[in-house]
Amino acid sequence: MALLKLDKKKGLIGLSFVLIFTSLTFLVRFQSTFSELITTTPIDSSYLTNEQSFFDIDDTVSNSNSSILCSCPPTESTEEEEERPVEDNSNDKKLEIPESLPPPPQELMDKINANLLEDRVLIVATANYGMRNHVYNWIETLKRTGETKFLIFCFDQKLYDHLKLTGYGKRATLIPDIWYHQHVESDFKTYFSQEYRIITHSKTLVVQQLLYLDVNVFFSDVDVVWLRPGMVDYVTTLLRIRPETGVLFQQEGLNQQEVNSGFYLMRSTYEMKRLLAETIEIQDTSENSKTQQGAMNAALNNLNLDLRTSQIVLLDILHFPNGFVYYTHDLPNKHGIKPYIVHANYLVGEEKKQKLIESNFWYLNDTWLDQMDAKLEQKIKIKKKKNNTKH
């Protein structure tokens, strides 16, 4: 009996040694494996910088101007940060970025302030008399979505007089002559004509002036149909929740490589002022070969376009479709999506209005417009007659 107990004790001691040996072996192997994991060369993630960007850009494009304004409090510099090379801002040295611009006339300033929304957002459009039918259709779409404050910058006296005649004097203004680089005529212009380029160029000049007044500009072409209430709040929220964002652009085409300069919300930051300054510089020096949209897309190449840090953000193409997406491919309707807006670009002349009519997006009473046209012409005749009598 005593012998049996002794054998059991020896067996337990032997089992204990086996367990201790096994545990030690496991720990040694685990430590070896863990050491290999933490000392292995990290996986190359440089592809993220190149692939996850808003635009398909060449690796040779300079990132020298990639710094962005941030409202975050300053942090202490680390040794690693201090060793980074100083950024080359040679492009800024060549480009004239005004520190300030002359203030606008008081009457215009009063209209700007009267039409500001929350966060100093101003809904802005530009147009001449030849675009008046689209101007009034645009106004009607804003009213249907609950937007009653906006400011239309008129290229010519006749459109301004027309808007005053129809009760929109507080929502319209003439563009000050000092803002222009070239004269804009009052009749409708064909896309990509020399006169069309001048008109689109002047749009940039208007937005530039407003940014220097600390206004966040919600720019819209007048052939953009506003469809859903709350759209301004939605887009401004996208701007507000990401401090790095300087502008939210509608996309051009389908491939996320171009922005559409006819619909965007732009924050008043240094980088956005630089973007507009370069857009203006390109159009002023390109011998009339680029539209404003082409110049702006070219200027974007000198900004930081990394998805994670860029100030440039694209709006969803199905909820903010351009004419190619909506009328050529009908993508929102195919996927059961109700867009916030529809931009009737990619359509020229009467085809633009006809497509809007077919889509039930034409809200203007054309008979009423004809009557207002006739009334304005009568007033112009009377004014001319009075002036001739005085002379």
Side-chain angles (χ1 to χ4, degrees), residues 215-252:
V215 171
N216 299 315
V217 181
F218 205 139
F219 186 87
S220 174
D221 279 344
V222 293
D223 61 349
V224 174
V225 179
W226 295 41
L227 296 174
R228 291 175 58 178
M231 187 270 291
V232 172
D233 182 60
Y234 173 69
V235 179
T236 53
T237 299
L238 293 177
L239 188 71
R240 193 182 303 120
I241 62 178
R242 184 174 180 268
E244 295 88 354
T245 301
V247 59
L248 292 135
F249 275 115
Q250 182 186 40
Q251 298 181 45
E252 180 75 353

Short mmCIF file of all heavy atoms in Angstrom, two decimals, residues 215-252:
data_model
loop_
_atom_site.label_atom_id
_atom_site.label_comp_id
_atom_site.label_asym_id
_atom_site.label_seq_id
_atom_site.Cartn_x
_atom_site.Cartn_y
_atom_site.Cartn_z
N VAL A 215 -16.89 85.73 -46.73
CA VAL A 215 -18.16 85.08 -47.10
C VAL A 215 -17.86 83.68 -47.60
O VAL A 215 -16.93 83.48 -48.39
CB VAL A 215 -18.90 85.89 -48.19
CG1 VAL A 215 -20.09 85.11 -48.75
CG2 VAL A 215 -19.35 87.23 -47.64
N ASN A 216 -18.62 82.70 -47.14
CA ASN A 216 -18.54 81.34 -47.66
C ASN A 216 -19.52 81.24 -48.82
O ASN A 216 -20.74 81.35 -48.61
CB ASN A 216 -18.86 80.32 -46.57
CG ASN A 216 -17.88 80.41 -45.41
OD1 ASN A 216 -16.68 80.50 -45.62
ND2 ASN A 216 -18.40 80.40 -44.19
N VAL A 217 -19.02 81.05 -50.01
CA VAL A 217 -19.82 81.20 -51.22
C VAL A 217 -20.43 79.88 -51.67
O VAL A 217 -19.72 78.90 -51.92
CB VAL A 217 -18.96 81.77 -52.37
CG1 VAL A 217 -19.81 81.94 -53.63
CG2 VAL A 217 -18.34 83.10 -51.96
N PHE A 218 -21.76 79.87 -51.76
CA PHE A 218 -22.47 78.72 -52.34
C PHE A 218 -22.85 79.12 -53.76
O PHE A 218 -23.87 79.75 -53.98
CB PHE A 218 -23.72 78.40 -51.52
CG PHE A 218 -24.16 76.96 -51.65
CD1 PHE A 218 -24.60 76.25 -50.54
CD2 PHE A 218 -24.13 76.30 -52.86
CE1 PHE A 218 -24.99 74.92 -50.65
CE2 PHE A 218 -24.52 74.99 -52.99
CZ PHE A 218 -24.95 74.29 -51.87
N PHE A 219 -21.97 78.77 -54.70
CA PHE A 219 -22.17 79.21 -56.07
C PHE A 219 -23.01 78.21 -56.86
O PHE A 219 -22.81 76.99 -56.75
CB PHE A 219 -20.83 79.41 -56.79
CG PHE A 219 -20.99 79.99 -58.17
CD1 PHE A 219 -21.04 81.36 -58.33
CD2 PHE A 219 -21.15 79.18 -59.28
CE1 PHE A 219 -21.23 81.91 -59.59
CE2 PHE A 219 -21.34 79.72 -60.54
CZ PHE A 219 -21.38 81.09 -60.69
N SER A 220 -23.92 78.75 -57.67
CA SER A 220 -24.76 77.90 -58.51
C SER A 220 -24.98 78.55 -59.86
O SER A 220 -25.37 79.72 -59.94
CB SER A 220 -26.12 77.67 -57.83
OG SER A 220 -27.00 76.96 -58.68
N ASP A 221 -24.71 77.80 -60.93
CA ASP A 221 -25.13 78.26 -62.26
C ASP A 221 -26.65 78.32 -62.30
O ASP A 221 -27.33 77.59 -61.56
CB ASP A 221 -24.62 77.31 -63.34
CG ASP A 221 -23.16 77.55 -63.71
OD1 ASP A 221 -22.63 78.63 -63.35
OD2 ASP A 221 -22.56 76.66 -64.34
N VAL A 222 -27.18 79.14 -63.19
CA VAL A 222 -28.64 79.29 -63.25
C VAL A 222 -29.32 78.14 -64.00
O VAL A 222 -30.56 78.06 -64.02
CB VAL A 222 -29.04 80.64 -63.87
CG1 VAL A 222 -28.63 81.79 -62.96
CG2 VAL A 222 -28.46 80.81 -65.28
N ASP A 223 -28.55 77.24 -64.59
CA ASP A 223 -29.16 76.06 -65.20
C ASP A 223 -29.10 74.85 -64.25
O ASP A 223 -29.27 73.71 -64.67
CB ASP A 223 -28.51 75.71 -66.55
CG ASP A 223 -27.02 75.38 -66.44
OD1 ASP A 223 -26.45 75.63 -65.36
OD2 ASP A 223 -26.44 74.90 -67.43
N VAL A 224 -28.88 75.14 -62.97
CA VAL A 224 -28.97 74.12 -61.93
C VAL A 224 -30.37 74.17 -61.34
O VAL A 224 -30.83 75.23 -60.89
CB VAL A 224 -27.92 74.34 -60.82
CG1 VAL A 224 -28.13 73.35 -59.68
CG2 VAL A 224 -26.52 74.21 -61.39
N VAL A 225 -31.06 73.03 -61.32
CA VAL A 225 -32.40 72.95 -60.75
C VAL A 225 -32.28 72.41 -59.32
O VAL A 225 -31.74 71.32 -59.11
CB VAL A 225 -33.30 72.01 -61.59
CG1 VAL A 225 -34.69 71.91 -60.97
CG2 VAL A 225 -33.39 72.51 -63.02
N TRP A 226 -32.74 73.18 -58.37
CA TRP A 226 -32.73 72.77 -56.96
C TRP A 226 -34.01 71.99 -56.69
O TRP A 226 -35.11 72.48 -56.97
CB TRP A 226 -32.64 73.99 -56.05
CG TRP A 226 -31.34 74.75 -56.17
CD1 TRP A 226 -30.66 75.04 -57.32
CD2 TRP A 226 -30.59 75.33 -55.10
NE1 TRP A 226 -29.53 75.75 -57.04
CE2 TRP A 226 -29.45 75.95 -55.69
CE3 TRP A 226 -30.75 75.39 -53.73
CZ2 TRP A 226 -28.50 76.62 -54.93
CZ3 TRP A 226 -29.80 76.06 -52.96
CH2 TRP A 226 -28.69 76.66 -53.56
N LEU A 227 -33.88 70.79 -56.12
CA LEU A 227 -35.03 69.88 -56.04
C LEU A 227 -35.48 69.52 -54.62
O LEU A 227 -36.66 69.23 -54.43
CB LEU A 227 -34.71 68.58 -56.79
CG LEU A 227 -34.48 68.71 -58.30
CD1 LEU A 227 -34.03 67.37 -58.88
CD2 LEU A 227 -35.76 69.18 -59.00
N ARG A 228 -34.57 69.51 -53.66
CA ARG A 228 -34.93 69.01 -52.33
C ARG A 228 -34.71 70.05 -51.24
O ARG A 228 -33.63 70.64 -51.17
CB ARG A 228 -34.14 67.74 -52.01
CG ARG A 228 -34.54 66.55 -52.85
CD ARG A 228 -33.65 65.34 -52.57
NE ARG A 228 -33.66 64.92 -51.17
CZ ARG A 228 -32.99 63.85 -50.72
NH1 ARG A 228 -32.27 63.12 -51.56
NH2 ARG A 228 -33.04 63.54 -49.44
N PRO A 229 -35.72 70.28 -50.39
CA PRO A 229 -35.54 71.18 -49.25
C PRO A 229 -34.41 70.68 -48.34
O PRO A 229 -34.16 69.48 -48.25
CB PRO A 229 -36.89 71.12 -48.53
CG PRO A 229 -37.86 70.63 -49.56
CD PRO A 229 -37.08 69.72 -50.46
N GLY A 230 -33.74 71.60 -47.68
CA GLY A 230 -32.68 71.22 -46.75
C GLY A 230 -31.34 70.95 -47.39
O GLY A 230 -30.40 70.55 -46.71
N MET A 231 -31.23 71.17 -48.70
CA MET A 231 -29.98 70.86 -49.39
C MET A 231 -28.84 71.75 -48.90
O MET A 231 -27.71 71.27 -48.70
CB MET A 231 -30.16 71.01 -50.90
CG MET A 231 -28.96 70.54 -51.72
SD MET A 231 -27.76 71.86 -52.03
CE MET A 231 -28.69 72.89 -53.15
N VAL A 232 -29.11 73.04 -48.69
CA VAL A 232 -28.07 73.95 -48.23
C VAL A 232 -27.56 73.52 -46.85
O VAL A 232 -26.35 73.48 -46.60
CB VAL A 232 -28.59 75.40 -48.18
CG1 VAL A 232 -27.56 76.32 -47.51
CG2 VAL A 232 -28.89 75.91 -49.58
N ASP A 233 -28.47 73.15 -45.98
CA ASP A 233 -28.08 72.70 -44.65
C ASP A 233 -27.24 71.42 -44.74
O ASP A 233 -26.27 71.26 -44.00
CB ASP A 233 -29.32 72.45 -43.80
CG ASP A 233 -28.97 72.01 -42.38
OD1 ASP A 233 -28.30 72.78 -41.67
OD2 ASP A 233 -29.37 70.90 -41.99
N TYR A 234 -27.62 70.52 -45.66
CA TYR A 234 -26.88 69.27 -45.83
C TYR A 234 -25.43 69.54 -46.27
O TYR A 234 -24.48 69.00 -45.69
CB TYR A 234 -27.60 68.39 -46.86
CG TYR A 234 -26.83 67.14 -47.24
CD1 TYR A 234 -26.65 66.10 -46.34
CD2 TYR A 234 -26.29 67.01 -48.52
CE1 TYR A 234 -25.94 64.96 -46.69
CE2 TYR A 234 -25.59 65.87 -48.88
CZ TYR A 234 -25.42 64.85 -47.97
OH TYR A 234 -24.72 63.72 -48.31
N VAL A 235 -25.27 70.37 -47.28
CA VAL A 235 -23.92 70.63 -47.82
C VAL A 235 -23.08 71.44 -46.84
O VAL A 235 -21.89 71.18 -46.66
CB VAL A 235 -24.01 71.32 -49.19
CG1 VAL A 235 -22.61 71.61 -49.75
CG2 VAL A 235 -24.77 70.45 -50.19
N THR A 236 -23.70 72.43 -46.18
CA THR A 236 -22.95 73.21 -45.21
C THR A 236 -22.53 72.35 -44.02
O THR A 236 -21.47 72.58 -43.42
CB THR A 236 -23.75 74.43 -44.72
OG1 THR A 236 -25.03 74.01 -44.25
CG2 THR A 236 -23.93 75.45 -45.82
N THR A 237 -23.34 71.35 -43.67
CA THR A 237 -22.96 70.43 -42.60
C THR A 237 -21.74 69.62 -43.00
O THR A 237 -20.82 69.40 -42.19
CB THR A 237 -24.13 69.48 -42.25
OG1 THR A 237 -25.24 70.25 -41.79
CG2 THR A 237 -23.72 68.49 -41.16
N LEU A 238 -21.68 69.18 -44.27
CA LEU A 238 -20.50 68.47 -44.76
C LEU A 238 -19.25 69.34 -44.65
O LEU A 238 -18.16 68.85 -44.35
CB LEU A 238 -20.70 68.05 -46.22
CG LEU A 238 -21.77 66.99 -46.50
CD1 LEU A 238 -21.88 66.74 -48.00
CD2 LEU A 238 -21.46 65.68 -45.78
N LEU A 239 -19.42 70.63 -44.89
CA LEU A 239 -18.29 71.56 -44.77
C LEU A 239 -17.91 71.76 -43.31
O LEU A 239 -16.73 71.80 -42.96
CB LEU A 239 -18.67 72.90 -45.41
CG LEU A 239 -17.56 73.94 -45.55
CD1 LEU A 239 -16.56 73.53 -46.60
CD2 LEU A 239 -18.14 75.31 -45.87
N ARG A 240 -18.92 71.84 -42.45
CA ARG A 240 -18.70 72.16 -41.05
C ARG A 240 -18.03 71.02 -40.27
O ARG A 240 -17.20 71.27 -39.41
CB ARG A 240 -20.04 72.53 -40.40
CG ARG A 240 -19.94 73.19 -39.04
CD ARG A 240 -21.32 73.47 -38.47
NE ARG A 240 -22.12 74.30 -39.34
CZ ARG A 240 -23.30 73.92 -39.86
NH1 ARG A 240 -23.80 72.74 -39.58
NH2 ARG A 240 -23.98 74.73 -40.64
N ILE A 241 -18.39 69.78 -40.58
CA ILE A 241 -17.93 68.67 -39.76
C ILE A 241 -16.48 68.27 -40.06
O ILE A 241 -15.89 67.52 -39.30
CB ILE A 241 -18.84 67.42 -39.94
CG1 ILE A 241 -18.82 66.94 -41.39
CG2 ILE A 241 -20.24 67.72 -39.47
CD1 ILE A 241 -19.66 65.69 -41.62
N ARG A 242 -15.93 68.77 -41.14
CA ARG A 242 -14.53 68.45 -41.47
C ARG A 242 -13.77 69.77 -41.66
O ARG A 242 -13.84 70.39 -42.73
CB ARG A 242 -14.45 67.61 -42.74
CG ARG A 242 -13.02 67.16 -43.10
CD ARG A 242 -13.04 66.20 -44.29
NE ARG A 242 -11.70 65.78 -44.64
CZ ARG A 242 -10.92 66.39 -45.54
NH1 ARG A 242 -11.37 67.46 -46.20
NH2 ARG A 242 -9.72 65.93 -45.81
N PRO A 243 -13.06 70.23 -40.63
CA PRO A 243 -12.40 71.54 -40.71
C PRO A 243 -11.41 71.67 -41.87
O PRO A 243 -11.17 72.77 -42.35
CB PRO A 243 -11.65 71.63 -39.36
CG PRO A 243 -12.39 70.72 -38.45
CD PRO A 243 -12.88 69.59 -39.31
N GLU A 244 -10.85 70.52 -42.33
CA GLU A 244 -9.88 70.60 -43.43
C GLU A 244 -10.53 70.97 -44.76
O GLU A 244 -9.86 71.44 -45.67
CB GLU A 244 -9.17 69.24 -43.60
CG GLU A 244 -8.31 68.84 -42.43
CD GLU A 244 -9.09 68.07 -41.37
OE1 GLU A 244 -10.33 67.96 -41.50
OE2 GLU A 244 -8.48 67.59 -40.42
N THR A 245 -11.82 70.73 -44.89
CA THR A 245 -12.49 70.96 -46.18
C THR A 245 -12.58 72.44 -46.49
O THR A 245 -13.08 73.23 -45.70
CB THR A 245 -13.91 70.35 -46.16
OG1 THR A 245 -13.82 68.95 -45.92
CG2 THR A 245 -14.60 70.57 -47.51
N GLY A 246 -12.10 72.80 -47.69
CA GLY A 246 -12.19 74.18 -48.15
C GLY A 246 -13.28 74.38 -49.17
O GLY A 246 -13.83 75.48 -49.30
N VAL A 247 -13.60 73.33 -49.92
CA VAL A 247 -14.63 73.44 -50.96
C VAL A 247 -15.23 72.08 -51.26
O VAL A 247 -14.53 71.06 -51.23
CB VAL A 247 -14.02 74.06 -52.26
CG1 VAL A 247 -12.88 73.20 -52.81
CG2 VAL A 247 -15.08 74.27 -53.33
N LEU A 248 -16.52 72.08 -51.50
CA LEU A 248 -17.24 70.89 -51.95
C LEU A 248 -17.71 71.16 -53.37
O LEU A 248 -18.54 72.04 -53.61
CB LEU A 248 -18.44 70.60 -51.04
CG LEU A 248 -18.07 70.16 -49.62
CD1 LEU A 248 -18.93 70.88 -48.60
CD2 LEU A 248 -18.25 68.66 -49.47
N PHE A 249 -17.18 70.40 -54.33
CA PHE A 249 -17.47 70.61 -55.74
C PHE A 249 -18.44 69.56 -56.28
O PHE A 249 -18.35 68.38 -55.91
CB PHE A 249 -16.18 70.48 -56.58
CG PHE A 249 -15.36 71.72 -56.69
CD1 PHE A 249 -14.09 71.77 -56.14
CD2 PHE A 249 -15.83 72.83 -57.37
CE1 PHE A 249 -13.29 72.89 -56.25
CE2 PHE A 249 -15.04 73.98 -57.49
CZ PHE A 249 -13.77 74.00 -56.93
N GLN A 250 -19.31 69.97 -57.18
CA GLN A 250 -20.00 68.99 -58.02
C GLN A 250 -18.98 68.39 -58.98
O GLN A 250 -18.02 69.05 -59.37
CB GLN A 250 -21.12 69.66 -58.82
CG GLN A 250 -21.92 68.67 -59.66
CD GLN A 250 -22.94 69.34 -60.58
OE1 GLN A 250 -22.66 70.39 -61.16
NE2 GLN A 250 -24.10 68.76 -60.70
N GLN A 251 -19.17 67.14 -59.34
CA GLN A 251 -18.25 66.48 -60.25
C GLN A 251 -18.62 66.77 -61.71
O GLN A 251 -19.78 66.98 -62.04
CB GLN A 251 -18.26 64.96 -60.03
CG GLN A 251 -17.82 64.53 -58.66
CD GLN A 251 -17.82 63.03 -58.50
OE1 GLN A 251 -17.36 62.30 -59.38
NE2 GLN A 251 -18.35 62.55 -57.39
N GLU A 252 -17.62 66.73 -62.55
CA GLU A 252 -17.81 66.81 -64.00
C GLU A 252 -17.60 65.42 -64.58
O GLU A 252 -16.63 64.73 -64.23
CB GLU A 252 -16.81 67.80 -64.61
CG GLU A 252 -16.91 67.97 -66.11
CD GLU A 252 -18.12 68.79 -66.53
OE1 GLU A 252 -18.96 69.13 -65.68
OE2 GLU A 252 -18.23 69.10 -67.73
#
